[in-house]
Amino acid sequence: MPEAAALLGAHTVVGIVGAGSMGVGIAQVAAQAGHAVRLFDAQPGVAQAALQRIGNDLATAVQRGRLQPAQRSAVLERLSLVDSIAGLEGCGLVVEAVAERLEVKQALFRQLEQWLPAATVLATNTSSISITAVAHGLVHPGRVVGWHFFNPAPRMRLVEVVRGLDTDHAVADAVSQLSRAWGKTPVDAPNTPGFIVNRVARPFYAESLRLLSEQLAPAPVIDQLLREAGGFPMGPFQLIDLIGVDVNLAVSESIFAATQFDSRYAPHPLQQELVHAGRLGRKSGRGFYDYQLDAATPTAVAVEPAPLRPTLRSSSQPGLLAPLVERLRAGGQVVVSDGSLPPESLAVDEVTVALTDGRTATCRGQGEPLLLLDLARDFATTRVLGAAASTGHHELLPGLAAALQPAGVELLALDDVAGLAVMRVACCLVNEAAELCTWTGTLPADVDIAMVLGAGHPQGPLAWGEQLGVQRVISVLEHLQQHYGDSRYRRSPRLWRMQAAHRS
């Protein structure tokens, strides 16, 4: 359908159906890019309120010097409201941002087909519904394309462009080109449950929920570790509360059903319980955290360092811990190199401290006292580390806290749960990204770009996997599967191929 693609230029009139947060954001992006925009919402007054929201957002941009007053006026002049689907006649592109329900979207597109010629491109902003299913039953399904913006659309750079089975390649290419003209970074996403971002991000939520239920640590501790040691902009429980516990659960349930109820994507009962209790996060005042006016914000409490600084030895093969060892030395801590210690380990006095490999400290220590450090994305700069002790040896944590103190690192106590927090989440993210590439042909670069720009991750999961080393990722996943007996930790075939490539 090249004639449809040819319509997507600077003079294309853009129609937006649905004036909720996503629709209004897309309308603003299109108008700021110079397009005449027609906005429609079936609910009375919603579209008018959306115009007011855009005006307020642009006014803020003027106040902050990011926009000139004349530019604000020009954008608002390009925006108009229509009171029916018929008012979208003449649009070369129509984007729907209505309720995330297949039957609603299908009914809308059938209406649009009655009023718009075959050359008009129809885009759905769905975050997880099959594009093929949305286009099913239309006379011209080739003009339907997935165009998934992220919230808030005016500020988020990523868009996922998704082709259904019948989507014309010229249409998808034209939407990608238009995305760039609007200042966005498009990625080709597969038409699979969750596309790229919502699919690959599942372990960030799912593993954190499991760690919380297994009592690795309270939610504020897990959040702080993943923020400060993992480099994520928000902790998982903060983020779920912001998104909405119900919304996050709905996405999980959708992907779980669409993947034939694969246990890897199973919703967690803890999240379901919060929804049943009406604790939906920030919007309801309570979720994993309490947002009521008189509620104290819970914080993570660090381990109190022992009064005496212990003797510290380091393996002659410190591996990922090398930046931490150098940082300790720079802070005045004497660190003696000891070739008798296992690779990637320290010794605080006579107690071994090792980087987690996915096993519990109790299992790995085999009756001997052992402390396990969680992963940090950058041991040279992190302000917080987590550690767990083998059964019956929690009294050893203050000594480790004292050893880390000269480097300005606080220690958070964790229970002896397999994989700890950052290492477990990171390896599962790497595996999920590799799995997506294995079965859909999605380019690794697109996955990494999508997760950085769309989810705010500190780096792409596949790049992180290269940094950690594919053998380490495989080993951690194997240990998790052995510990839990759960197929959710099965290794992606792509990881095996990556390992073979490194060996050769």
Side-chain angles (χ1 to χ4, degrees), residues 449-465:
I449 289 168
M451 297 311 294
V452 171
L453 297 184
H457 285 197
Q459 65 187 103
L462 293 167
W464 204 349

Side-chain angles (χ1 to χ4, degrees), residues 231-492:
F232 296 93
M234 295 183 74
F237 306 111
Q238 293 173 301
L239 185 54
I240 292 173
D241 274 0
L242 179 64
I243 294 169
V245 182
D246 55 335
V247 174
N248 188 269
L249 175 62
V251 173
S252 297
E253 290 173 336
S254 172
I255 293 176
F256 184 46
T259 55
Q260 305 301 309
F261 304 102
D262 186 334
S263 67
R264 182 177 282 174
Y265 311 104
H268 197 276
L270 179 57
Q271 200 171 8
Q272 294 170 326
E273 278 291 281
L274 288 176
V275 172
H276 292 156
R279 300 183 184 182
L280 308 181
R282 287 184 177 272
K283 61 187 176 185
S284 70
R286 292 184 74 185
F288 289 97
Y289 292 89
D290 192 339
Y291 301 94
Q292 298 174 81
L293 291 177
D294 57 348
T297 303
T299 56
V301 179
V303 174
E304 184 69 28
L308 298 177
R309 188 180 299 179
T311 302
L312 189 63
R313 292 175 289 135
S314 168
S315 167
S316 56
Q317 301 177 58
L320 290 182
L321 297 180
L324 178 62
V325 171
E326 292 307 311
R327 184 174 167 189
L328 286 163
R329 285 178 174 141
Q333 170 74 55
V334 176
V335 184
V336 178
S337 182
D338 186 343
S340 69
L341 287 174
E344 221 160 52
S345 68
L346 307 169
V348 177
D349 290 333
E350 298 305 316
V351 179
T352 301
V353 182
L355 186 64
T356 179
D357 66 356
R359 290 177 289 178
T360 64
T362 303
C363 173
R364 188 170 169 183
Q366 297 183 347
E368 297 298 319
L370 176 67
L371 299 179
L372 289 183
L373 272 181
D374 200 358
L375 175 68
R377 178 171 171 263
D378 184 359
F379 281 101
T381 61
T382 187
R383 297 180 299 172
V384 169
L385 283 172
S390 53
T391 300
H393 296 104
H394 287 272
E395 77 283 353
L396 300 175
L397 289 173
L400 176 57
L404 295 173
Q405 196 172 32
V409 178
E410 289 188 336
L411 188 68
L412 298 180
L414 304 176
D415 201 0
D416 190 20
V417 173
L420 303 184
V422 182
M423 181 68 86
R424 179 159 156 179
V425 167
C427 289
C428 288
L429 285 169
V430 174
N431 194 41
E432 190 61 38
E435 186 83 343
L436 183 71
C437 292
T438 297
W439 301 112
T440 67
T442 304
L443 296 177
D446 279 348
V447 174
D448 280 353
I449 289 168
M451 297 311 294
V452 171
L453 297 184
H457 285 197
Q459 65 187 103
L462 293 167
W464 204 349
E466 293 282 357
Q467 180 182 317
L468 290 173
V470 67
Q471 179 54 55
R472 183 195 307 275
V473 174
I474 289 173
S475 179
V476 169
L477 293 168
E478 285 178 338
H479 287 145
L480 289 171
Q481 188 167 18
Q482 289 166 8
H483 183 79
Y484 291 104
D486 193 334
S487 65
R488 66 184 294 108
Y489 301 109
R490 64 188 183 275
R491 275 72 66 205
S492 165

